[in-house]
Amino acid sequence: MPLRLPLLLRFLSGRAVLSALLLAALSVASLIGVSPARAEVTLRVGYLRTQGYLADFPLAKVAIPGVRLELVALETGNDVLEALSAGAIDVGETGEVQPIFAQSAGQPIKVIASTAPQPTATAILVNQASPLHQVGDLRGKKISFVRGTNTHWLVIQSLGRVGLKQADIQPIFLGPADTVTALVQGQIGAATLTAPNIQIAEARGARVLVDGTGIVNSSIYYMASTNTIAGPKRNALGGFVTALDAHLPWIQSHLQERAAYLAPRYGVPPEIVLAASRVMAPRLVPVGDGKLAAYTQRIADAFAEQKLIPARIDARQEFDGSFDASLRK
C-alpha cells in the first residue's frame, strides 16, 4: 500500500522527510514522457493530487524531448514546499502563498511559472438556507479556512472590502473535508474552500457567498530550487514550462475525457471534476514582469500583519523570470 505522504510529513523533518518522500516516490511516482526512448534527464515533479494541472499528464501523454518525467503526488502546497526543501523533487506545483513562507524562511526556492488568475477557484460558501447573503453578514460568525493559505487570503481580502477584520469573525481552522461536513451540518456559518472542494460542497447543498473575482488571483505557481535552476536540469525545467503551457489549452478541449480519467483518482463523481475544471486558467503568464511580484507583496504584507511570517519581505525576490521565454507568444 502506498505511503500517505501528508501524514508522514506532519511527523518528520529534515533527512527523515527526504527519506520518506523518496521511499514514497518509489511506490506512487508515475513515469511518463520519456522522449527519446533513452532519456538523458529525470525530472521529479511534485503535483497536487486533487487539484492543479499536472495530475492528467499521463492522460495527455505529455512528453519532453530527452526528459523522463517522474510524477509524485502530494496532498497540499505545504507538502510540495517541504519536498522541494528536502531535495526530494525538482519542481513543484503549489498555491500562490507557499513562496512567501519559503522566502520568509530563507529557503533558496523560486517561482518559475504561474497560471493566469483563476479567481473562482477559491470561494466562501454558506448553506442554501443560510440568512447570510453578503460578506458583511459574516461579522461574529464562525468562518472556516486553512491558516496561511489561499483560503486565508480570500477571507482577509473579502472582510477588508467591507470594513471588517479577522478579529470581527470567529476563525475556525479546519481542513477541506472537515470544513464541508461542518458547513452542511450547520456547525459553522461559512466555509472557505478551493476547487474541487467548492464543487463538492455545492453538491451537498452549499452556495457561494463570494468568490475571488476581483479580489484574489488564486493562481497556481510552479517552484524550483535555485540549485536546480542553475544546475544540469535547467534545460529540463525549460522543457517542463513549455510542455505545461501547451497542456493548459489541452485541458480546456478535453474536459469530459479528463473528468472521466480523474474522477476515480480524486474519489468524486465525474461531474464534480468537470465543474472544477471549468474554473481553471487556459494559459501561463510571465512571472518576471513585476505584476505577480506586486500582487504577492500584498499577500506577504497581510500575512506579516497577521504574524504568519515574522517580518516584511520583498516579494520580488521570489520570482525567476528566466523561463518566461518558454511561453507561447
Side-chain angles (χ1 to χ4, degrees):
M1 180 178 178
L3 294 173
R4 290 185 59 80
L5 295 180
L7 182 60
L8 288 174
L9 288 173
R10 290 191 188 98
F11 297 98
L12 300 177
S13 61
R15 292 186 178 180
V17 170
L18 176 58
S19 298
L21 283 165
L22 291 177
L23 178 60
L26 295 175
S27 301
V28 303
S30 301
L31 299 179
I32 65 167
V34 183
S35 175
R38 183 177 180 180
E40 298 175 358
V41 176
T42 295
L43 191 69
R44 302 165 301 166
V45 181
Y47 71 97
L48 298 172
R49 187 182 66 82
T50 60
Q51 54 185 306
Y53 295 79
L54 305 181
D56 59 355
F57 262 28
L59 173 65
K61 297 181 173 58
V62 174
I64 303 172
V67 177
R68 180 176 65 171
L69 291 176
E70 182 178 293
L71 301 182
V72 182
L74 294 161
E75 293 295 324
T76 71
N78 291 335
D79 296 336
V80 172
L81 178 58
E82 190 156 5
L84 277 169
S85 301
I89 57 175
D90 300 309
V91 60
E93 180 178 59
T94 76
E96 59 193 11
V97 304
Q98 276 75 29
I100 293 169
F101 293 103
Q103 182 184 350
S104 180
Q107 296 174 349
I109 294 172
K110 301 284 187 180
V111 176
I112 64 169
S114 170
T115 69
Q118 44 173 37
T120 56
T122 308
I124 300 175
L125 298 96
V126 297
N127 280 322
Q128 282 288 355
S130 172
L132 308 179
H133 293 284
Q134 55 190 7
V135 175
D137 296 335
L138 297 176
R139 183 190 293 271
K141 299 298 189 294
K142 294 180 179 179
I143 314 301
S144 74
F145 54 89
V146 179
R147 194 167 183 262
T149 67
N150 284 17
T151 59
H152 195 173
W153 173 229
L154 178 60
V155 169
I156 292 171
Q157 285 294 93
S158 298
L159 293 175
R161 289 198 161 205
V162 297
L164 298 179
K165 296 183 178 181
Q166 185 172 310
D168 295 316
I169 64 168
Q170 299 181 57
I172 304 295
F173 304 128
L174 294 173
D178 291 336
T179 288
V180 172
T181 299
L183 180 65
V184 299
Q185 292 181 353
Q187 298 170 356
I188 56 177
T192 317
L193 295 165
T194 58
N197 292 297
I198 293 170
Q199 290 72 29
I200 292 171
E202 288 179 317
R204 296 184 63 182
R207 60 178 167 83
V208 172
L209 180 72
V210 62
D211 63 30
T213 302
I215 305 174
V216 301
N217 285 352
S218 296
S219 297
I220 298 293
Y221 286 176
Y222 296 85
M223 303 194 302
S225 72
T226 53
N227 285 340
T228 303
I229 292 170
K233 294 187 179 183
R234 178 177 175 81
N235 289 339
L237 285 177
F240 168 78
V241 173
T242 298
L244 178 61
D245 193 38
H247 183 61
L248 268 59
W250 180 93
I251 290 174
Q252 297 304 314
S253 61
H254 294 79
L255 291 176
Q256 295 284 352
E257 183 182 0
R258 182 177 185 271
Y261 174 80
L262 290 177
R265 291 162 174 81
Y266 286 5
V268 298
E271 55 266 27
I272 295 292
V273 180
L274 186 61
S277 297
R278 292 195 174 109
V279 310
M280 299 175 76
R283 68 187 188 281
L284 298 182
V285 296
V287 302
D289 61 4
K291 294 179 181 178
L292 284 180
Y295 168 76
T296 305
Q297 187 67 60
R298 292 168 50 212
I299 307 176
D301 291 347
F303 281 9
E305 184 177 348
Q306 292 286 332
K307 308 301 182 185
L308 295 171
I309 56 176
R312 191 177 184 277
I313 61 172
D314 181 355
R316 291 174 297 181
Q317 298 176 15
E318 293 177 11
F319 296 89
D320 184 326
S322 62
F323 296 96
D324 287 350
S326 300
L327 304 182
R328 288 170 288 145
K329 302 302 182 184

